[in-house]
Amino acid sequence: MIYKEQFKIGLKDVWKNSEVSNIAILEYLEDVAAYHSDSVGVRCKYYR
């Protein structure tokens, strides 16, 4: 399955030279993992 999501990048997610921070990328990957687990029926507690 392919998931598509448009994320809005905030100021806290941008480093110098207009690069996205590693922390922001990890948060986006966590969101995609949660979408995937929901689609296959595996519920997980997601704390933020």
Side-chain angles (χ1 to χ4, degrees):
M1 234 178 232
I2 297 174
Y3 296 94
K4 292 184 179 183
E5 184 71 30
Q6 290 186 359
F7 294 103
K8 293 190 179 198
I9 298 176
L11 290 176
K12 71 174 184 67
D13 299 331
V14 179
W15 283 348
K16 61 182 176 182
N17 299 329
S18 299
E19 295 175 346
V20 178
S21 70
N22 294 335
I23 296 168
I25 293 171
L26 182 60
E27 288 176 354
Y28 302 148
L29 291 174
E30 287 174 345
D31 291 343
V32 171
Y35 297 149
H36 177 68
S37 67
D38 286 343
S39 71
V40 295
V42 177
R43 301 287 180 204
C44 60
K45 293 183 180 178
Y46 184 66
Y47 300 105
R48 188 171 252 202

